[in-house]
Amino acid sequence: MKLKAKAIGAILLLSILVVSAVPAIGINSVKADYGSATFCPNNSVEGLDTDNELYVSTVITSEIAYYIYSYYGSYYNYFFYGTEQSPIYPSDYSWALNTLQDNCDKITFFSKGHCTPWGYASQHYQLLCTLSDENNDHQAKDAIHIFPYTDEFECRLTFLWHCATARSYPIPPPYYDPDGPYGMPFCFTHNVGMTKYGTSGWAVFLGWNWQSPQFESEIPYQYPDYNWTFGHFAYFYYQLMAYGYSVNGALEELSWFFYNTDFQNCPLYNSLIVWGNGNMNLGY
Amino acid sequence: MKQSKKILMFLALATMITSLGLTSPAQSSVTTAQDQALSFIEEVLPIDRSQYNLTFNGYFVSDLPGIAISEPKDYAPERVIYTLTSDESELRASFTIENNILTTCQVSIQKGSFISDRSYTNLNDVAKSFLEKYQAYTGTSMVNMINLLSNVDVAKDQTIEKDNLKLNITNGEFPNEHKTTSLMWWRSINGCEYLELSVSFRDGAFAGFKDTREAFPVGDTTVNVSKDKAIAIAMKYIEAYSYAMPDGSKVSGFNVTEDRTTAYLVPSVRESNILYPAWKVMLYLNQTYPGSVYGLLVSIWANSGEVFGCNNQAAGGSSDLISESNSSPASPTISPSPSSIENKAPASMENNKVPIDLGIVAVIAVVVTAIAVATITLVVKKRSK
């Protein structure tokens, strides 16, 4: 009887661990279903981020990476955060996208940071990396560091929490200018058919129409006032996604939570843009 | 022996919970929240209940990330999700329970259309009927709110006020031909507006509601500080305010573009869940300061004038780079060679670039646990001898 109890306990323990480990160990020779990357370049050189913003961004993006990972449990879930000593370079974006599309069928991507226009007619956009300033080449450019590494159409759920990343879309033929293909929505998805706040299609891209709020910034006009910040917004958004909410469902939920009304009536509508299928969730 | 069994069971449960990555909420919390959602569906939601099968679809507690000192300590909103399915229609109803009170219900149509409990003549009829059902559900009189709806066409944007009660009606046409109507009732006390109820309809059917009155009761509504006084307090406060940059330097000495300053009264939470009027003073700075900070949002209690918060308001762009880029539209393009990409691969293994490799973690966990189990078994064997 004593042995039986002990044996049951031991088997239970081991079986639970083995069962929980099986989906994660994976087989590298077969393409994984889902892969993800979460980027937090943390620009500290140019003085774009305060000390608190760097801290809050690192905490929140690590939580976001965890939520995505906890949903997929896949081998290919990357979390990149930059420091001055160990910076993120534009080629890290390329490497992550390339690795994910080589090894996965579907990619979920999140990045938080700064973004500026560049190139022909200023219709290109570049994500500022850790050491990015105006005199160097440390910006992940849409045509150069993103587009060539997303050509397998696998970036299905992308959220760029950087300024103006929803702009330069929709994009007319021939989809490029003298500096190449342009706009983050197109360069990540290679999809020219995403509609604004749409509900169909194989991809969804979230970005900001112009200024993206820093995570430490308080959400204006929240009710009741709890001093919630946009870091909380991003955190709750991915928490809801991890519990199976769709993009639209999560935005609706957060709109009711912070503003007591539906998303179309809240101040973020037309500022936080959803291109493509808002009915998609992490299990797309 | 009993002790060893307890250890084994504890280890087993702890491992189970850890390996599932879940916390285990008390069953009573789940049941209570679930019950509240269920009774709302049965008694208030304007659906033809005979047409729908109900499926419990999830419960979780939203924990907080712990990123701010002001973050509420004992606040953990619970969320319950139900799916309602019929042959032609599927609805997803999600509920938020705050401070043990159901405050929010949001319904989204997953398939088909919303099957109503009865036919309605117009949106006024839908709204009035919802309020009457909700009034019966809560046992709280909503006569004043219902009266404000009388002789009003809710399809038109407008604000109606009677005594200290105000109704805001907002309509919008949105992509995919959805038409939404939002009704928000506010009670004004000493110039501060407290939300009574918010109800929203999409394409003429119920879409969502929020009622925070019971979960966040109103405390002392005294407003001793005027708007001008609040702005003056905020201006004085930022004279001594500073924030840190990553290099250790402090940013202070802010210049404000005073004609852009705004201030509004809002109920703010104190003492866990009680609402008190507070001024939110937005001071726009005369330039973008280090850290991309363009403004400071100062929070002031309206009864005492005490400042209880000052937040940097900042955005993720760079005005310098934007203008620089605008002045030189063409930039050189540099294509990375495939080898430069490959060379970056090892960099992803640096300590700040973390591939979340559960496989290795799990294998290590199995080995460590096996050793622990073997050790416990040996100790127990020795003791039983």
Side-chain angles (χ1 to χ4, degrees):
Chain A
M1 181 60 202
K2 281 177 189 173
L3 273 175
K4 203 175 177 184
K6 277 181 258 175
I8 290 169
I11 289 165
L12 182 61
L13 265 171
L14 288 170
S15 63
I16 290 161
L17 277 170
V18 172
V19 167
S20 66
V22 165
I25 291 169
I27 302 162
N28 287 343
S29 59
V30 178
K31 250 189 164 186
D33 201 16
Y34 293 98
S36 75
T38 303
F39 271 75
C40 180
N42 278 337
N43 191 299
S44 57
V45 170
E46 217 188 340
L48 291 182
D49 291 328
T50 66
D51 199 39
N52 184 49
E53 179 66 22
L54 295 185
Y55 164 73
V56 170
S57 297
T58 306
V59 171
I60 294 295
T61 50
S62 69
E63 294 280 0
I64 288 170
Y66 171 74
Y67 276 127
I68 295 172
Y69 152 75
S70 69
Y71 190 91
Y72 293 141
S74 153
Y75 187 88
Y76 293 99
N77 290 282
Y78 295 98
F79 173 45
F80 289 66
Y81 69 95
T83 63
E84 207 168 342
Q85 294 71 35
S86 189
I88 286 176
Y89 295 105
S91 55
D92 289 324
Y93 279 92
S94 308
W95 180 85
L97 289 165
N98 201 45
T99 303
L100 288 171
Q101 75 167 4
D102 276 355
N103 295 287
C104 306
D105 293 324
K106 302 165 184 175
I107 299 167
T108 295
F109 195 91
F110 178 82
S111 180
K112 186 269 168 186
H114 299 266
C115 179
T116 57
W118 72 282
Y120 181 82
S122 291
Q123 60 187 4
H124 287 262
Y125 287 90
Q126 53 188 2
L127 308 176
L128 307 192
C129 295
T130 314
L131 301 179
S132 176
D133 68 38
E134 55 191 294
N135 299 313
N136 65 22
D137 221 359
H138 290 308
Q139 300 88 27
K141 293 180 165 61
D142 48 10
I144 299 168
H145 303 102
I146 307 298
F147 187 82
Y149 308 101
T150 52
D151 56 356
E152 291 185 28
F153 304 84
E154 288 175 358
C155 284
R156 303 278 290 274
L157 205 163
T158 307
F159 192 163
L160 300 185
W161 192 293
H162 297 242
C163 273
T165 44
R167 298 182 73 83
S168 289
Y169 198 86
I171 180 170
Y175 315 122
Y176 57 85
D177 62 23
D179 284 319
Y182 59 92
M184 290 296 175
F186 176 61
C187 287
F188 265 88
T189 62
H190 292 243
N191 187 332
V192 294
M194 297 187 293
T195 53
K196 194 175 177 183
Y197 298 114
T199 52
S200 62
W202 55 266
V204 63
F205 179 98
L206 287 85
W208 291 89
N209 188 27
W210 195 234
Q211 290 193 321
S212 61
Q214 292 281 68
F215 278 179
E216 70 174 343
S217 296
E218 192 173 310
I219 300 172
Y221 303 106
Q222 57 184 279
Y223 183 101
D225 173 47
Y226 243 133
N227 295 109
W228 298 116
T229 65
F230 281 99
H232 290 106
F233 185 97
Y235 174 81
F236 286 136
Y237 173 82
Y238 275 96
Q239 188 178 65
L240 293 167
M241 294 293 284
Y243 280 99
Y245 283 64
S246 66
V247 168
N248 286 346
L251 292 177
E252 283 292 333
E253 192 79 20
L254 293 180
S255 182
W256 279 97
F257 185 73
F258 291 116
Y259 299 109
N260 310 292
T261 189
D262 37 27
F263 183 63
Q264 287 94 333
N265 281 315
C266 92
L268 296 181
Y269 190 75
N270 274 330
S271 184
L272 174 55
I273 305 290
V274 180
W275 290 112
N277 187 357
N279 285 337
M280 284 169 59
N281 57 26
L282 285 178
Y284 48 81
Chain B
M1 181 54 215
K2 276 182 182 170
Q3 190 70 16
S4 68
K5 271 188 193 172
K6 274 184 187 168
I7 291 168
L8 277 173
M9 284 309 292
F10 174 76
L11 274 173
L13 283 171
T15 313
M16 188 187 289
I17 290 164
T18 309
S19 65
L20 291 175
L22 299 171
T23 52
S24 180
Q27 187 60 36
S28 59
S29 302
V30 183
T31 312
T32 309
Q34 212 178 325
D35 285 347
Q36 290 189 58
L38 264 178
S39 66
F40 187 89
I41 290 171
E42 299 292 351
E43 295 173 42
V44 186
L45 204 60
I47 55 166
D48 183 351
R49 189 63 186 83
S50 66
Q51 300 274 325
Y52 285 104
N53 289 318
L54 197 59
T55 311
F56 174 61
N57 218 2
Y59 165 88
F60 65 97
V61 180
S62 283
D63 59 352
L64 306 181
I67 53 169
I69 301 165
S70 59
E71 215 167 74
K73 298 286 178 290
D74 303 316
Y75 176 69
E78 301 167 86
R79 298 184 197 276
V80 179
I81 305 151
Y82 274 96
T83 304
L84 298 112
T85 47
S86 75
D87 290 341
E88 302 93 33
S89 168
E90 183 179 322
L91 310 177
R92 179 185 158 101
S94 63
F95 300 87
T96 305
I97 288 95
E98 297 173 86
N99 302 322
N100 300 317
I101 311 290
L102 191 150
T103 58
T104 314
C105 168
Q106 187 230 122
V107 174
S108 59
I109 299 168
Q110 307 293 302
K111 188 184 88 177
S113 57
F114 194 98
I115 305 172
S116 292
D117 53 346
R118 64 176 177 85
S119 58
Y120 293 95
T121 51
N122 53 37
L123 196 52
N124 282 54
D125 194 18
V126 183
K128 198 176 164 197
S129 170
F130 174 82
L131 288 184
E132 285 167 351
K133 287 175 93 171
Y134 188 61
Q135 178 178 250
Y137 169 77
T138 58
T140 312
S141 172
M142 292 183 181
V143 172
N144 292 339
M145 282 193 254
I146 294 168
N147 286 345
L148 271 191
L149 272 177
S150 304
N151 305 317
V152 169
D153 181 2
V154 296
K156 289 179 183 165
D157 290 2
Q158 55 196 301
T159 301
I160 303 137
E161 289 185 73
K162 190 174 182 189
D163 300 326
N164 62 348
L165 192 63
K166 184 168 88 175
L167 169 61
N168 281 339
I169 303 172
T170 317
N171 288 276
E173 297 241 15
F174 298 102
N176 305 304
E177 297 168 0
H178 285 307
K179 186 174 181 191
T180 66
T181 303
S182 163
L183 308 177
M184 295 177 93
W185 287 265
W186 301 87
R187 187 167 299 283
S188 180
I189 306 173
N190 297 328
C192 185
E193 293 191 334
Y194 298 82
L195 182 68
E196 292 282 289
L197 192 71
S198 175
V199 191
S200 181
F201 302 92
R202 187 177 296 117
D203 302 327
F206 175 84
F209 107 106
K210 185 157 183 180
D211 180 0
T212 56
R213 289 172 299 172
E214 199 180 343
F216 297 96
V218 178
D220 181 3
T221 55
T222 308
V223 175
N224 292 323
V225 177
S226 68
K227 182 177 177 179
D228 288 346
K229 178 73 177 164
I231 293 171
I233 291 170
M235 290 290 287
K236 181 76 182 163
Y237 183 83
I238 66 160
E239 286 176 10
Y241 176 74
S242 66
Y243 58 83
M245 292 300 289
D247 61 4
S249 63
K250 296 274 184 190
V251 180
S252 59
F254 305 98
N255 288 316
V256 172
T257 306
E258 291 188 31
D259 57 357
R260 292 188 66 200
T261 298
T262 60
Y264 60 95
L265 269 174
V266 64
S268 192
V269 181
R270 194 165 63 174
E271 298 156 11
S272 175
N273 68 328
I274 313 293
L275 299 180
Y276 293 89
W279 283 104
K280 291 283 179 177
V281 181
M282 181 66 202
L283 302 171
Y284 288 93
L285 304 176
N286 68 332
Q287 63 182 66
T288 302
Y289 280 70
S292 311
V293 176
Y294 62 81
L296 299 171
L297 185 60
V298 184
S299 305
I300 302 161
W301 292 120
N303 58 353
S304 66
E306 179 197 351
V307 174
F308 65 94
C310 181
N311 258 73
N312 299 336
Q313 298 300 101
S318 160
S319 54
D320 293 344
L321 276 180
I322 289 167
S323 54
E324 205 266 339
S325 179
N326 281 338
S327 62
S328 54
S331 299
T333 57
I334 303 161
S335 296
S337 65
S339 61
S340 71
I341 298 302
E342 283 167 19
N343 288 341
K344 282 316 298 172
S348 74
M349 302 304 289
E350 289 169 19
N351 62 357
N352 65 330
K353 297 165 185 175
V354 190
I356 303 169
D357 192 343
L358 183 63
I360 292 166
V361 173
V363 170
I364 292 167
V366 168
V367 172
V368 169
T369 312
I371 292 166
V373 169
T375 310
I376 291 166
T377 310
L378 278 174
V379 170
V380 170
K381 265 187 179 177
K382 270 190 174 180
R383 284 189 179 172
S384 61
K385 279 175 187 174

